[in-house]
Amino acid sequence: MIEQGDRVLLVGQGREFFVKAGPGTLGTDKGQLDLSTIVGKAGGDTLTTHNGSQFIIRVPRPTDFFTYGKRSGAPMLPKDIGLVIAYTGMNHNDDVLDAGTGSGIAAIYFGGVAKTVRTYEVRPEFSALAMKNITEAKLDNVEAVSKDFLESEGTYDVVHLDLQIQAEHMTHAFSLLKTGGYLACYTPFLEQMAIVVDAATPLFCEVHTHELIEREMTRSKRGTRPSTSVCHSGYITIARK
Amino acid sequence: MIEQGDRVLLVGQGREFFVKAGPGTLGTDKGQLDLSTIVGKAGGDTLTTHNGSQFIIRVPRPTDFFTYGKRSGAPMLPKDIGLVIAYTGMNHNDDVLDAGTGSGIAAIYFGGVAKTVRTYEVRPEFSALAMKNITEAKLDNVEAVSKDFLESEGTYDVVHLDLQIQAEHMTHAFSLLKTGGYLACYTPFLEQMAIVVDAATPLFCEVHTHELIEREMTRSKRGTRPSTSVCHSGYITIARK
Amino acid sequence: MIEQGDRVLLVGQGREFFVKAGPGTLGTDKGQLDLSTIVGKAGGDTLTTHNGSQFIIRVPRPTDFFTYGKRSGAPMLPKDIGLVIAYTGMNHNDDVLDAGTGSGIAAIYFGGVAKTVRTYEVRPEFSALAMKNITEAKLDNVEAVSKDFLESEGTYDVVHLDLQIQAEHMTHAFSLLKTGGYLACYTPFLEQMAIVVDAATPLFCEVHTHELIEREMTRSKRGTRPSTSVCHSGYITIARK
Amino acid sequence: MIEQGDRVLLVGQGREFFVKAGPGTLGTDKGQLDLSTIVGKAGGDTLTTHNGSQFIIRVPRPTDFFTYGKRSGAPMLPKDIGLVIAYTGMNHNDDVLDAGTGSGIAAIYFGGVAKTVRTYEVRPEFSALAMKNITEAKLDNVEAVSKDFLESEGTYDVVHLDLQIQAEHMTHAFSLLKTGGYLACYTPFLEQMAIVVDAATPLFCEVHTHELIEREMTRSKRGTRPSTSVCHSGYITIARK
């Protein structure tokens, strides 16, 4: 049941609105929506504007927070987040440390998968914005910490780094991991990837760097072919303790 | 704490063994290991062979079941499983229907992420082998059903199909999904992808087909470059209700 | 020595102009250039504007006609033209038939390589525009014919097709080729590629379809990485008689 | 007309033989072939074994020298040779300098395109083997020089380098090129690519590095899909003077 303050999507009439349930009105070109009437409803229920247009209520998923979450910079792409989840085997038994919170998008995906997530971000204003996104995603197992990753403590199954990488980050990540646990490092540039591989190789027992080139296939009356859209983002190094 | 019958990995001496804790002995070229002594230990603890070689106990992760699980055919690759998890936003609130169980590898990954997974497989012997893998992965939220996908019922957040695809599968998947839920279809061939896109487009509100080309980067004394290894597996169509 | 009517490039001051040597003046923001003074000069010579800015004369290469040639549509990309040249082993002994002239860009590249090129284009206005480009490229071994490819006759070492493909085109191409000669078919869509492969396979002794994904590597102070620019154009099927 | 000593291909019975026309006999499982009878014939003519099996004579093309030429190491792949030809606009007016002859395969392709090719190779035994391949390809416009590239002199339209690259190679290449001419550098590793880009950028007016990922499409009864074969070879930097 949707509570006051919950984020929901209103979908209909070829439009999509990301709103908060509770006091207030949303003016659309299809009429006005009373947002307080969302409280108590459920995903799939319908909302009607003052002049009769209908919108379906959708409880947001992590993919919606990727689209609508507030951003402090360019977040990791879902394809790369998916690779981290799959190559670390992230699951509901895991304690995960995420560093370089950014807008918190990766932490939101990980929070939906892992037992707990602690996400470190050295810039307090980024950490605060991320915590807002995380709260709206209703994840009480994710904690945003505004500290340098090197100050982090504890024991983790997975450590995920998306920050200006330095060799000492590898040593620290190693010290935080359980035996059999995984480090995943996202690096947009080759030079950073080299730092990661060179520092991780002597410490970890398996080190592999992956690049994902993603293409969308398009299909029209003229035929089927790959689109010519953006297809790179970064390199992901996976190392196992 | 590891119980009798649990699968564990024994790692050491440049070797790795996937064994069951409990009565029995494992003969290795580094000496004999008494597997009953694993019971009661924990991940990270050490086991010693009769002549003093040490092995560390590792509690297996989904990645280990990809490597060591019994197979009835070629399973989906982790990169593609990761894409499905990320593009559907699969999370701990989700009821997932998986069809085309195969060896159960995708179901094991999904079971570590979602609230519940029901996985349909029309061939009983495949379903039974998959259930064995799932049980060894200690996932009590995953159920293997030996039935045709078209006989499935219920309401789901995510439907994942990896089977000999037919247009009617799209209609059935649509009927099983909640509003805002996702269908993910894995198809190795372009002709099957076309069937999926053509059948899904009139039903679903967003339909996108992705291809992931994965490359591993290699780094040696000679320099850094992409490896020339296998880089295709299939097309993944994601459709939202 | 540059003659009246020859196309040249004037390069300097961070600008590039594609002009005709002969009577006339080019007004630029760096001053006026008297184009008649180009006649009699050679590539590498300098031209000076009325107020003293200098431009270097460059005799155009096929790459310049790709950039500056008049276009009737989207031409094949150089990467794909290069693949056709390399995979057919096109060389100075070859008689080449090109069909689907378009703007004549592929014919200009081929004309610089082969002994003779005959290029067929069913639309007379396209053929005329292409012939203009070909003449400006000073290729007297290239002939533009405004006819349907199926009406072509003769014997060729290489047949190159970039047109709305039909199965009968393969049969006709086969009849035109010498033993050991090559057919190269460019098809933007997968459905067309399938037509080519299915019609060529029973006739030719080797049939292979290639896709080239090209990426540009970027290098800045931040680091080195692949750009995210356009990376697909079409499929090229190479078949040997 | 085929002369004594000429290389030809004999194709038939699902077999292919790369032989020299002239005295001698080739024993095959389909019978014996008298190689002296090839002299005076032409491509497309037929040769018959002592027991009646027929083979067609094929005059070899550059693609055949890629397959059958003697090798001193791994040559550049045709896709990369094609990219060099297309991105430099190499043509019948060009004087080309090639350095790092290797087996001479690139020089053979370039010799079929350009007016003249001089190919430098510091290892005399490599240069001698390459010259043998070049002679067999009947290219009298290609000269193999057994010297270090840095000792080369002259003026060229295109300089192509495929050797253990150093920054001073860029400066020397620049000094050899005509205005508007192109340097093309093939480098298998990223570190070498970085040396090329960093040394070429201040000298040349356009510098671009390309990577070609080539995939073959396969088509069988099961369907159409990209093969999972080798798909990388190196980086090609193109710089214009």
Side-chain angles (χ1 to χ4, degrees), chain B residues 190-191 211 215 224 231 235, chain D residues 190-191 211 215 224 226 231:
Chain B
L190 284 155
E191 289 79 0
E211 181 193 11
R215 300 203 299 178
T224 309
C231 52
Y235 301 94
Chain D
L190 284 157
E191 289 79 2
E211 181 192 13
R215 300 202 301 176
T224 309
C231 53

Side-chain angles (χ1 to χ4, degrees), chain D:
Chain D
M1 211 191 66
I2 295 159
E3 295 169 31
Q4 179 148 335
D6 283 1
R7 282 285 186 185
V8 299
L9 277 156
L10 303 177
V11 182
Q13 320 291 325
R15 280 149 188 78
E16 207 174 273
F17 302 104
F18 188 63
V19 301
K20 260 190 192 156
T25 303
L26 179 74
T28 82
D29 62 337
K30 299 290 172 184
Q32 296 207 331
L33 287 158
D34 179 353
L35 300 180
S36 69
T37 62
I38 302 170
V39 178
K41 297 204 185 236
D45 285 355
T46 298
L47 210 69
T48 309
T49 63
H50 77 287
N51 56 11
S53 295
Q54 292 202 318
F55 286 82
I56 292 177
I57 297 169
R58 195 190 277 173
V59 176
R61 299 178 59 77
T63 49
D64 296 309
F65 286 96
F66 180 78
T67 308
Y68 293 108
K70 288 210 173 63
R71 295 188 179 188
S72 52
M76 266 178 80
L77 296 180
K79 74 179 173 80
D80 294 314
I81 293 173
L83 187 140
V84 169
I85 293 171
Y87 276 60
T88 63
M90 195 185 290
N91 64 76
H92 53 223
N93 298 317
D94 285 351
D95 296 308
V96 173
L97 187 148
D98 172 54
T101 308
S103 326
I105 299 300
I108 287 173
Y109 277 89
F110 297 159
V113 172
K115 188 166 71 183
T116 70
V117 177
R118 300 198 88 201
T119 179
Y120 282 76
E121 169 61 58
V122 79
R123 294 159 296 187
E125 71 283 12
F126 280 40
S127 191
L129 179 137
M131 200 60 227
K132 222 176 146 186
N133 283 330
I134 290 161
T135 304
E136 293 196 345
K138 306 200 87 177
L139 291 161
D140 52 20
N141 61 336
V142 181
E143 184 190 358
V145 182
S146 182
K147 272 193 191 165
D148 190 294
F149 164 60
L150 292 173
E151 294 178 55
S152 63
E153 293 176 348
T155 310
Y156 296 92
D157 298 282
V158 175
V159 171
H160 172 253
L161 303 181
D162 174 14
L163 38 71
Q164 197 63 39
I165 212 75
Q166 304 158 27
E168 59 191 322
H169 291 155
M170 302 311 123
T171 324
H172 188 59
F174 186 84
S175 76
L176 298 169
L177 281 168
K178 292 184 196 162
T179 302
Y182 283 99
L183 167 66
C185 270
Y186 174 82
T187 47
F189 292 100
L190 284 157
E191 289 79 2
Q192 300 164 337
M193 181 270 274
I195 292 170
V196 169
V197 173
D198 292 349
T201 301
L203 291 171
F204 291 85
C205 64
E206 297 164 26
V207 179
H208 296 284
T209 301
H210 307 271
E211 181 192 13
L212 280 187
I213 303 171
E214 183 188 355
R215 300 202 301 176
E216 193 170 333
M217 300 298 291
T218 65
R219 194 161 157 75
S220 69
K221 276 181 193 163
R222 294 178 64 208
T224 309
R225 66 168 164 183
S227 77
T228 52
S229 62
V230 169
C231 53
H232 178 78
S233 48
Y235 300 93
I236 298 175
T237 303
I238 305 285
R240 191 168 202 179
K241 182 169 177 173

